[in-house]
Amino acid sequence: MVLAALATLPLGVVLGPEAPLMAVGSALALLAVRRMRGADEPRTTGVVATAGSTAAISTILGGPLVSALLVVEAAGLGGARLAALLMPCLIASATGALVFTGFGTWTGLKTGGLALPAVPPAANPDVGDFLWGLPIAALIACVLTLGRHMGRSTARWTGRGNAMTRTVLCALAVGVCLSAYALLTGRSPRDAALSGQETLAELAAHPTGWSVAVLLALVVCKGLAWAVSLGGLRGGPIFPALLLGAAGSLACAGLPGLGTAPALACGICAAATAVMGLPLCGAVLTALLLGADAYDQMPLIVGASVVAHLTTLLMNRRGTATP
C-alpha cells in the first residue's frame, strides 16, 4: 500500500492521500496488537483498526478533532436513528442561527459571540504542558464531579420537607459564598456570581491580573455556590463550570514548564467535558471559545478531554457503588 501510494499520488493521479493513510494506519495498528490476547475478536479488531486509521488521517486534517468527527459521521453510528434525529436538529439549528446572523436584507440580533474576545498569546504545547496539563485536567474533573454530587445531595435535601423554605435557604447559602469571596479577596462579588461568562472573558484577557490566592478563592467560593445552586435553584451548569476550570488551571499556570495558554485550554476543556460528560463536545466547545489560538493547543485539548472524561467516569462509578 505504501509503495503504491508513493508510486501514484506524487505523480499526478487525481486522488488524495486519505484512503492509503487510513488503510496503512489500520494495518499498522492491527499489526501492533496482533499477539495480544483477544486481538482476534471482531469487536476488538474493528476498534483497533478504526483507531489506527483515525491516527493516520489526523496527519493531514490538521489535528485529531476533525479526524474524530469524520470517523464518527462516516461510520454512521446509530444508523437510521442517528440520521432521523440529526437531520431535523441540524436544519433547526441553522434556522435558529439566522435569527442572530440575519438573512438577506433582514438584520439579525446583536449577541456576543461564543469565542472569547481575548486570550493569552498562542504557544505550541511542550513536554511540560502535557506533564502538568493532563493531571490538572484530572484534578478539575474531580472537583467538578464532586460539585455535581453535592448538587444531587442538595436536590434530595431540598425535595424533602418544605421545598420553598429550603430553596430560600439555598439562595442564602449562595449569597454567603459570594460575600465570603468579596471579603476574602476585596474584589466585587460579581466575579463569582451569575454564569461567569463575563468573568471568564476577563480572566482569559488578563490572566496575570489575578493572584493565585484570588483564583483559589474564586474556585472554592464559586464552586460551593455552584454546587448548591445545582440542587436548590434552576439554571444551566456549563458556563459556571467553565469559569471554575479556567480559574483552577490558571492558578497552576505558574508551575515550571506550564504555559498560560495551554493551562487555560486544559482547564476549559476538562471542565466542559466533566460537566457535560461528552469528551468530543467538550473539545469542540473549547476550540470555539479559544478561536484561532485553539489550533496549536488541539493535541493538548483532546488529551485533556479524554483524561477528564475517564476521571469523571471513574468517580461516578465509585459513587454509584457506594451505598
Side-chain angles (χ1 to χ4, degrees):
M1 184 66 70
V2 172
L3 293 176
L6 290 176
T8 54
L9 292 177
L11 299 179
V13 64
V14 188
L15 289 172
E18 299 87 1
L21 280 175
M22 294 182 73
V24 171
S26 298
L28 289 176
L30 291 173
L31 184 64
V33 301
R34 185 175 183 179
R35 297 185 180 277
M36 294 183 180
R37 180 181 299 179
D40 295 334
E41 296 180 2
R43 181 176 300 179
T44 302
T45 301
V47 172
V48 171
T50 304
S53 63
T54 305
I57 201 172
S58 67
T59 60
I60 62 169
L61 292 182
L65 187 60
V66 179
S67 61
L69 288 171
L70 185 148
V71 169
V72 168
E73 290 190 319
L77 299 179
R81 291 185 178 181
L82 177 62
L85 178 64
L86 186 61
M87 295 301 105
C89 290
L90 285 176
I91 192 63
S93 62
T95 304
L98 290 176
V99 176
F100 295 98
T101 60
F103 182 74
T105 58
W106 294 353
T107 58
L109 301 177
K110 292 183 179 180
T111 181
L114 182 61
L116 296 171
V119 293
N124 290 327
D126 53 21
V127 176
D129 294 325
F130 279 91
L131 290 178
W132 287 115
L134 298 184
I136 289 173
L139 178 61
I140 291 173
C142 289
V143 171
L144 292 179
T145 303
L146 289 175
R148 296 192 67 183
H149 289 172
M150 181 178 174
R152 294 190 183 97
S153 299
T154 305
R156 290 193 293 268
W157 176 80
T158 307
R160 296 194 297 264
N162 191 329
M164 181 178 295
T165 301
R166 297 192 177 192
T167 300
V168 173
L169 291 177
C170 288
L172 290 175
V174 172
V176 169
C177 294
L178 302 182
S179 300
Y181 169 79
L183 293 173
L184 291 172
T185 63
R187 297 178 62 95
S188 170
R190 185 182 181 87
D191 294 344
L194 306 177
S195 69
Q197 188 171 358
E198 294 182 1
T199 307
L200 177 61
E202 181 183 351
L203 189 61
H206 308 286
T208 58
W210 300 64
S211 67
V212 175
V214 171
L215 291 173
L216 292 179
L218 179 62
V219 171
V220 173
C221 296
K222 187 177 182 66
L224 290 174
W226 175 68
V228 173
S229 298
L230 285 177
L233 305 171
R234 293 293 179 266
I238 296 178
F239 271 98
L242 296 182
L243 176 58
L244 292 173
S249 60
L250 289 178
C252 303
L255 293 171
L258 179 61
T260 302
L264 180 65
C266 269
I268 293 177
C269 185
T273 301
V275 73
M276 293 190 295
L278 303 171
L280 189 57
C281 288
V284 172
L285 179 59
T286 305
L288 292 175
L289 285 169
L290 296 181
D293 285 355
Y295 180 81
D296 293 331
Q297 309 299 330
M298 196 57 67
L300 187 59
I301 289 173
V302 173
S305 69
V306 173
V307 170
H309 186 59
L310 293 177
T311 303
T312 303
L313 290 178
L314 180 61
M315 292 191 65
N316 287 336
R317 181 176 300 177
R318 289 183 175 180
T320 303
T322 303

